[in-house]
């Protein structure tokens, strides 16, 4: 057909059965969230959980393209697993996203994984299994299964994390490294940070929300190019067919800088290096942030340029990305009220219904059309976020960073 299609995907989501998630996360909420945010393809999430997979089976219908559907939203069977195993003489804990082409494969995978840990408690199960052995077990069930290491850089649970991760994909996946085609940058990192690491040159850098409540769906996402099907997505990952990813400012993440939360000490990579991994206040070990970890594993400086459309582009032709804040935050800051105040929800609803989705408002809505619907100040806020004209406090050691559009209030 030669028609180039693109679709927005959020493939790291959760159900209400994963630890720490909202009780309201059912398929109704996921579908409403996808439509409001502008997400075309969602992960079904938590497919190892016995109750949730039954809800999945009952609510969604499998389609011939290897996906599932509900009310015009497409889903892919996907889950997150906490892999804990000794590798290379060290205990490792790594979160991995796992995807399967049909419900039959999911049943077979779940039957195998049940011997490695409990699937009944947490929707993101902790298994005594290395990421390599998880991938091997899935491939043994169906060759089309694939994995994406989740939030690659976070100190705990990231494959490149400082606490219990690895220094390379090879060290983790060994003989199966060639089967890993993508990594998730995570909230505390962005693609430009990943471009600095040569061992990631051959893999797609993707971004998803890791939403624990419906409002956070799509806060980061990936717009893929190609056929929106299970095999189309696999091909897009293998060939880096990505239009762009949408990223929060990585400083907002909980582990961007290094530091010590108890003492309120935040350290840039340079300051962390000077302090020798110890808190300058109390002398305890600091938590190494994502930026410091990138410095350790990178081999070249950051090389990125912003083009006329606001896309941040690498000089070596990697897929670009855009930085964003949530529309709810922009509206609430602009109108100086809480995000659930009537004025804020009315402005939000007016914009989303006019432009079709939150993503369309944030990325594509002409500034001149925003003001008549939601006011001059909201229009100004969106344009400030698009231009990166913001005040940013980096997160560290589990403390979220903050992005403020109008400082000094
Ligand atoms: Zn995780
Ligand atoms: Zn301290």
């Amino acid at each position: 057909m030669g028609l180039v299609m693109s679709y927005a995907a959020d493939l790291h989501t959760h159900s209400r059965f994963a630890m720490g998630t909202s009780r309201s996360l059912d398929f109704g909420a996921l579908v409403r969230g996808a439509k409001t945010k502008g997400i075309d393809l969602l992960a079904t999430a938590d497919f190892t959980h016995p109750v949730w997979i039954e809800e999945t089976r009952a609510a969604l219908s499998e389609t011939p393209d290897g996906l599932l559907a509900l009310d015009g939203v497409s889903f892919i069977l996907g889950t997150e697993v906490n892999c804990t195993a000794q590798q290379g003489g060290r205990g490792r804990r790594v979160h991995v996203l796992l995807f399967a082409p049909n419900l039959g494969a999911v049943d077979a995978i779940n039957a195998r994984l049940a011997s490695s840990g409990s699937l009944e408690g947490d929707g993101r199960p902790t298994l005594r299994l290395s990421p390599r052995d998880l991938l091997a077990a899935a491939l043994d069930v169906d060759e089309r299964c694939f994995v994406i290491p989740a939030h690659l850089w976070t100190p705990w649970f990231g494959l490149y994390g400082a606490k219990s991760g690895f220094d390379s994909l090879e060290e983790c996946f060994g003989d199966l490294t060639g089967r890993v085609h993508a990594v998730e940058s995570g909230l505390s990192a962005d693609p430009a940070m990943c471009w600095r690491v040569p061992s990631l040159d051959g893999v797609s850098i993707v971004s998803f929300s890791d939403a624990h409540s419906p409002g956070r769906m799509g806060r980061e996402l990936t717009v893929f190019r190609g056929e929106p099907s299970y095999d189309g997505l696999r091909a897009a990952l293998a060939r880096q067919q990505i239009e762009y990813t949408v990223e929060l400012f990585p400083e907002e993440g909980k582990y961007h800088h290094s530091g010590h939360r108890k003492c309120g000490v935040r350290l840039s990579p340079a300051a962390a290096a000077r302090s020798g991994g110890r808190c300058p206040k109390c002398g305890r070990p600091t938590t190494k942030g994502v930026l410091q970890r990138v410095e350790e594993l990178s081999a070249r400086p950051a090389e990125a340029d912003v083009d006329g459309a606001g896309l941040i582009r690498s000089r070596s032709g990697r897929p670009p990305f855009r930085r964003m804040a949530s529309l709810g935050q922009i509206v609430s800051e602009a109108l100086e009220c809480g995000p659930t105040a009537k004025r804020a929800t009315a402005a939000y609803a007016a914009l989303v219904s006019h432009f079709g989705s939150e993503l369309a408002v944030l990325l594509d809505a002409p500034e001149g059309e925003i003001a008549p619907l939601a006011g001059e100040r909201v229009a100004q806020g969106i344009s400030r976020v698009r231009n990166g004209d913001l005040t940013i406090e980096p997160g560290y050691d589990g403390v979220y960073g903050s992005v403020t559009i109008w400082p000094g209030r």
Side-chain angles (χ1 to χ4, degrees):
M1 302 235 290
L3 185 67
V4 179
M5 286 188 271
S6 68
Y7 55 99
D10 185 356
L11 307 184
H12 187 169
T13 50
H14 286 288
S15 75
R16 66 186 185 283
F17 293 102
M19 202 119 66
T21 59
S22 163
R23 297 289 308 151
S24 67
L25 277 169
D26 57 19
F27 278 107
L30 289 170
V31 164
R32 282 191 300 279
K35 287 183 174 171
T36 308
K37 300 280 174 165
I39 303 161
D40 304 299
L41 175 65
L42 273 181
T44 57
D46 301 352
F47 71 50
T48 54
H49 194 276
V51 181
W52 183 246
I53 192 62
E54 283 320 308
E55 282 187 30
T56 304
R57 212 182 292 276
L60 310 184
S61 19
E62 287 193 276
T63 51
D65 52 13
L67 303 174
L68 303 92
L70 176 62
D71 288 345
V73 176
S74 292
F75 287 83
I76 181 169
L77 287 157
T79 194
E80 184 183 30
V81 174
N82 177 20
C83 292
T84 61
Q86 288 278 328
Q87 256 175 292
R90 278 177 56 195
R92 318 281 182 158
R93 294 193 302 270
V94 175
H95 286 187
V96 175
L97 304 175
L98 170 64
F99 299 90
N102 54 60
L103 284 161
V106 165
D107 292 338
I109 289 169
N110 289 348
R112 280 177 178 241
L113 298 186
S115 61
S116 302
S118 167
L119 305 182
E120 270 129 53
D122 193 348
R124 180 202 306 97
T126 294
L127 302 179
R128 297 176 305 276
L129 203 61
S130 70
R132 188 249 163 229
D133 290 348
L134 175 75
L135 175 55
L139 288 173
D140 202 36
V141 166
D142 193 309
E143 275 288 309
R144 290 169 299 158
C145 291
F146 64 93
V147 294
I148 301 178
H151 38 72
L152 184 69
W153 296 99
T154 49
W156 283 281
F157 308 119
L159 193 145
Y160 278 5
K163 295 283 182 188
S164 54
F166 298 83
D167 288 339
S168 69
L169 291 177
E170 289 76 12
E171 192 187 1
C172 177
F173 284 102
D175 58 323
L176 295 182
T177 305
R179 305 294 299 253
V180 181
H181 296 300
V183 295
E184 184 191 35
S185 61
L187 297 175
S188 295
D190 66 23
M193 291 161 69
C194 299
W195 298 339
R196 300 179 57 189
V197 181
S199 61
L200 296 177
D201 283 350
V203 298
S204 287
I205 312 296
V206 293
S207 290
F208 307 122
S209 71
D210 194 1
H212 288 196
S213 61
R216 295 187 182 255
M217 290 168 61
R219 58 184 168 170
E220 295 204 335
L221 56 76
T222 301
V223 178
F224 290 100
R225 195 167 57 235
E227 189 187 77
S229 66
Y230 187 87
D231 289 327
L233 174 67
R234 276 205 319 149
L237 289 167
R239 297 176 197 147
Q240 301 194 39
Q241 286 172 6
I242 293 169
E243 293 278 334
Y244 55 84
T245 62
V246 175
E247 311 276 334
L248 294 175
F249 289 76
E251 294 88 346
E252 272 190 275
K254 289 192 280 190
Y255 295 103
H256 188 69
H257 272 191
S258 305
H260 190 213
R261 171 171 39 177
K262 277 212 180 97
C263 295
V265 168
R266 176 203 294 130
L267 301 164
S268 69
R274 279 197 301 274
S275 72
R278 298 263 160 193
C279 172
K281 266 197 194 163
C282 72
R284 285 227 166 90
T286 47
T287 298
K288 200 180 276 181
V290 157
L291 204 53
Q292 193 184 352
R293 190 70 182 132
V294 171
E295 292 281 337
E296 282 179 2
L297 295 182
S298 69
R300 52 201 177 206
E303 285 196 322
D305 305 295
V306 185
D307 74 7
L311 286 167
I312 299 165
R313 294 188 175 278
S314 82
R315 295 191 194 147
S316 53
R318 304 294 292 277
F321 67 97
R322 328 184 48 148
R323 290 212 173 95
M324 265 308 138
S326 85
L327 182 59
Q329 185 202 337
I330 298 171
V331 167
S332 117
E333 246 200 84
L335 304 179
E336 301 183 288
C337 61
T340 54
K342 211 170 174 184
R343 286 185 297 142
T345 55
Y348 180 95
L351 289 173
V352 167
S353 80
H354 184 83
F355 294 104
S357 71
E358 177 169 337
L359 200 61
V361 175
L362 290 171
L363 301 185
D364 306 323
E367 281 163 43
E369 289 180 37
I370 295 171
L373 291 160
E376 191 57 52
R377 218 170 130 81
V378 171
Q380 217 180 73
I382 290 172
S383 102
R384 287 180 81 137
V385 171
R386 285 177 182 170
N387 297 325
D389 186 7
L390 304 159
T391 304
I392 297 169
E393 295 265 319
Y396 66 99
D397 196 14
V399 179
Y400 273 110
S402 72
V403 163
T404 317
I405 305 165
W406 287 278
R409 286 195 297 114

